[in-house]
Amino acid sequence: MMKKETSWLWRERLGIFCLILTILSLSIALTINFRPLYVWDIQALNLLDVVAIDQPTLLKNFGQLMSYLNNPFHHTLQMSDFPVSESGAFHFYEVKRLFLLCYGVLIVTAIPSILFIRRLIKGKRLWRLIRPFQWGMIIPVFFGILMAVGFDQFFVAFHGVFFNNDDWLFDPATDPIINVLPEEFFMHSFILFFILLELFFLVGILAGKRELKRI
């Protein structure tokens, strides 16, 4: 009996870890592909004031960039109205690898996570998600505070963690795309990502508490 309980406990921990990876990668995937955020920022940040093109043309170029970043079979970055330097192209290549890593994690963990949730529901153990998801909700709050204190420092630290070079420091003269991808847009993207994380964790917590009331 003790061995069975220990085995279940380890499977449960592994399931929760897998589920958290699914939530993280899904939140990232939804954020980076949420085109309405960029459309909104075009107006909110007056991006058309810094380029000599209209909004449809800008969105076409943004779509070309996202197509390159999302498609593993798209090997060359080309935008109709924005030249790209060698260092700029290399940085976007590194970003592409992170995108594909995110999608890979999502694909690998999604089905096991769904099966794990089904097992929890069947065994009336959804309440087991409450504590780890409560801890999970603290993380976005912590990073949100760091962003509020100084997003510049947070943004630099983020690139220091994920990139081992300075190619992300674009020169507008050689990589004018940076003029329409301002730091504020990335700040809004981080905010959206953290909101999605909080919502996913909150849903799990509420489902667990609802189940506890029925027991």
Side-chain angles (χ1 to χ4, degrees):
M1 181 67 72
M2 184 66 108
K3 288 185 177 180
K4 288 184 178 180
E5 290 180 355
T6 302
S7 177
W8 165 254
L9 182 61
W10 278 106
R11 289 201 302 269
E12 184 179 90
R13 288 175 177 174
L14 182 60
I16 290 174
F17 177 71
C18 184
L19 181 56
I20 289 176
L21 285 180
T22 300
I23 291 173
L24 283 170
S25 55
L26 178 59
S27 298
I28 294 172
L30 291 174
T31 298
I32 59 184
N33 289 287
F34 192 64
R35 186 183 175 94
L37 176 61
Y38 189 69
V39 174
W40 181 78
D41 267 345
I42 289 176
Q43 302 300 324
L45 303 178
N46 300 313
L47 298 186
L48 296 179
D49 293 345
V50 297
V51 289
I53 56 177
D54 57 17
Q55 180 165 318
T57 304
L58 176 55
L59 288 174
K60 181 184 73 171
N61 284 266
F62 181 75
Q64 291 169 338
L65 173 61
M66 292 305 300
S67 175
Y68 167 77
L69 296 176
N70 281 322
N71 190 341
F73 304 107
H74 193 164
H75 301 297
T76 303
L77 173 60
Q78 288 184 331
M79 291 176 284
S80 302
D81 302 277
F82 293 92
V84 183
S85 69
E86 184 177 345
S87 62
F90 182 71
H91 176 65
F92 282 125
Y93 167 72
E94 291 189 305
V95 173
K96 180 187 182 77
R97 289 194 304 182
L98 291 176
F99 275 32
L100 297 181
L101 174 62
C102 170
Y103 297 146
V105 170
L106 179 57
I107 291 171
V108 169
T109 62
I111 293 179
S113 293
I114 293 172
L115 295 176
F116 175 64
I117 292 175
R118 289 181 61 182
R119 192 177 300 118
L120 289 179
I121 294 174
K122 185 177 180 180
K124 296 182 178 180
R125 295 174 66 89
L126 272 178
W127 58 272
R128 297 287 291 177
L129 296 177
I130 296 176
R131 185 60 64 191
F133 276 23
Q134 285 176 334
W135 280 106
M137 290 191 74
I138 293 175
I139 297 174
V141 173
F142 171 75
F143 283 108
I145 293 174
L146 291 180
M147 287 173 52
V149 171
F151 183 75
D152 289 344
Q153 294 86 343
F154 175 86
F155 198 55
V156 171
F158 171 83
H159 283 83
V161 171
F162 289 98
F163 306 100
N164 61 356
N165 53 62
D166 293 330
D167 288 340
W168 63 276
L169 295 170
F170 282 26
D171 181 352
T174 57
D175 290 288
I177 187 66
I178 195 60
N179 291 323
V180 291
L181 292 174
E183 192 173 287
E184 292 85 353
F185 167 66
F186 293 104
M187 180 178 66
H188 297 159
S189 296
F190 275 108
I191 292 172
L192 174 60
F193 166 66
F194 291 142
I195 289 175
L196 289 174
L197 272 185
E198 294 286 75
L199 289 176
F200 282 128
F201 286 137
L202 180 60
V203 168
I205 291 171
L206 293 177
K209 288 185 176 182
R210 184 179 180 183
E211 186 176 77
L212 276 179
K213 292 180 180 180
R214 295 176 177 177
I215 297 177

